[in-house]
Amino acid sequence: MMQKINAAITAVGGYVPDFRLTNKMLEEIVDTNDEWIKTRTGVEERRILKGDGLATSDMVVPAVLELCKKRGIAPEEIDCMICATVTPDMVFPSTANIVCDKIGAVNAFGYDLSAACSGFLFALTTGAALIESGRYKKVVIVGADKMSAIVDYTDRSTCILFGDGAGAVLLEPTTENIGVQDSLLKSDGSGRNFLRMEAGGSLHPASIETVQNKQHYIRQEGPTVFKAAVKSMADAAYDLLQRNNLTGDDIAWLVPHQANKRIIDATANRMGLSLDKVMLNIQRYGNTTAATVPLCLWDWEKQLKKGDKLVLAAFGGGFTWGATLITWGYDTK
């Protein structure tokens, strides 16, 4: 009998730009204040990609190169790259293709995946299936967004939340009982009007009117999104534990999407997890959309031990949401 192939994370890379946009700076731009932002969201500063001609791919490249260096592989060894993003360099070619070209991953096929803040989870599950099929040996999963490109800095309901960043993981096959164990992924298109970017697609192609009407910026109805996120993310994480006969005591870390500290707290509470088991970097990076979960893994990599059980959870525009159970596969030297 053939042993089951699992998809293990074998390396992590990340990148955040140098420029820090603090709450104090935002006080100069919109009618808000540091205390309100911290209390309501948990964000203290966010990183912004500055410079002419710089796009999402320019954050992905250093993240993937770091991952290759840690693992001791060349970019030519990558079989596939899936890039989760809602801020691609351009509509096409895909950001994944652009990154593969920039780093010399000449043997990889690549494509972008759009599921907003849940994108990394959706891409991770897809990449795991490619590994489990036995056909692919090295699949890179990227979550990256240059949210500053689509944020209206006169809209105080959104500009306080978002930042730029990129995170990536390498998936490789193993017959050990480690890696991606289970995923519970959901979407509900009836939420499409509450968190969206209206223009730039085939419904509202770019025009003078769409630009004047600010339809190329992210828009959200905060209270509706908040309520949906609290329930959906918490329920998905809880249901995933139930399905695998686990409790909060079995989980080493919750790796939550960094949208709002109150949403994160609610998810931990539903899982029966103490807050010291929750990865939190929203205060430093804000909401980097598809990049939040891999950036947490990047920040916490040295604290992770082989055999640790992790629950990754996210909620995003669409609506999209889900949770993934991972058994960590290596100790960091």
Side-chain angles (χ1 to χ4, degrees):
M1 187 174 134
M2 281 188 64
Q3 286 185 288
K4 182 180 182 297
I5 298 171
N6 289 318
I9 293 174
T10 57
V12 181
Y15 177 84
V16 288
D18 293 331
F19 183 84
R20 289 172 161 86
L21 177 61
T22 65
N23 291 348
K24 289 289 184 191
M25 290 176 185
L26 284 173
E27 288 179 2
E28 306 295 317
I29 302 170
V30 287
D31 181 17
T32 190
N33 65 75
D34 174 54
E35 187 55 37
W36 190 90
I37 297 171
K38 282 195 292 199
T39 306
R40 303 290 292 182
T41 70
V43 184
E44 295 174 23
E45 61 180 34
R46 56 299 284 142
R47 302 297 186 94
I48 304 295
L49 184 65
K50 296 271 192 181
D52 292 339
L54 294 179
T56 297
S57 67
D58 295 295
M59 297 187 291
V60 178
V61 165
V64 176
L65 289 177
E66 180 191 9
L67 170 157
C68 290
K69 185 178 178 187
K70 282 181 179 172
R71 186 64 181 135
I73 66 167
E76 293 89 346
E77 295 178 61
I78 298 169
D79 296 319
C80 171
M81 182 181 295
I82 307 174
C83 182
T85 186
V86 290
T87 56
D89 287 24
M90 52 192 79
V91 175
F92 68 89
S94 74
T95 302
N97 285 179
I98 293 168
V99 171
C100 286
D101 177 57
K102 285 182 175 181
I103 66 172
V106 292
N107 297 308
F109 74 96
Y111 60 93
D112 291 355
L113 185 152
S114 174
C117 301
S118 307
F120 180 78
L121 286 196
F122 285 26
L124 186 67
T125 301
T126 307
L130 293 177
I131 292 287
E132 289 162 6
S133 75
R135 292 185 184 183
Y136 304 96
K137 305 298 184 209
K138 290 179 172 58
V139 176
V140 173
I141 307 300
V142 175
D145 275 296
K146 184 187 174 185
M147 293 305 291
S148 61
I150 60 170
V151 164
D152 177 1
Y153 284 94
T154 65
D155 177 6
R156 67 176 182 177
S157 69
T158 55
C159 74
I160 63 171
L161 299 171
F162 295 99
D164 303 339
V169 301
L170 176 64
L171 292 177
E172 295 187 80
T174 180
T175 52
E176 287 187 75
N177 189 28
I178 56 173
V180 179
Q181 307 282 294
D182 192 15
S183 284
L184 186 63
L185 306 177
K186 304 272 189 176
S187 60
D188 179 4
S190 68
R192 64 188 177 275
N193 293 323
F194 304 115
L195 183 50
R196 69 200 186 282
M197 190 176 88
E198 294 174 350
S202 58
L203 179 62
H204 299 295
S207 66
I208 292 170
E209 287 75 22
T210 62
V211 173
Q212 287 174 339
N213 294 335
K214 295 188 168 185
Q215 289 174 278
H216 295 268
Y217 291 127
I218 188 171
R219 291 281 178 254
Q220 77 166 352
E221 289 184 25
T224 306
V225 173
F226 180 82
K227 274 187 243 171
V230 167
K231 181 171 189 337
S232 302
M233 203 161 118
D235 283 357
Y238 176 78
D239 292 345
L240 185 71
L241 290 186
Q242 293 288 104
R243 190 158 88 178
N244 288 275
N245 299 311
L246 299 170
T247 68
D249 292 339
D250 300 308
I251 303 303
W253 295 98
L254 169 64
V255 191
H257 170 52
Q258 308 285 308
N260 185 301
K261 183 160 187 305
R262 292 183 295 157
I263 298 170
I264 294 168
D265 290 348
T267 303
N269 188 48
R270 183 94 160 87
M271 293 171 65
L273 269 188
S274 57
L275 293 180
D276 60 350
K277 287 181 163 187
V278 179
M279 294 187 188
L280 193 72
N281 57 18
I282 190 173
Q283 69 278 15
R284 290 187 288 133
Y285 304 146
N287 181 353
T288 55
T289 304
T292 64
V293 169
L295 280 176
C296 279
L297 295 176
W298 180 59
D299 273 347
W300 265 263
E301 183 187 17
K302 289 194 169 114
Q303 295 182 51
L304 298 175
K305 298 188 287 297
K306 185 171 182 177
D308 279 353
K309 284 191 165 38
L310 279 54
V311 171
L312 284 49
F315 178 91
F319 290 141
T320 61
W321 69 96
T324 297
L325 177 66
I326 288 177
T327 302
W328 196 251
Y330 63 94
D331 296 310
T332 305
K333 294 181 180 64

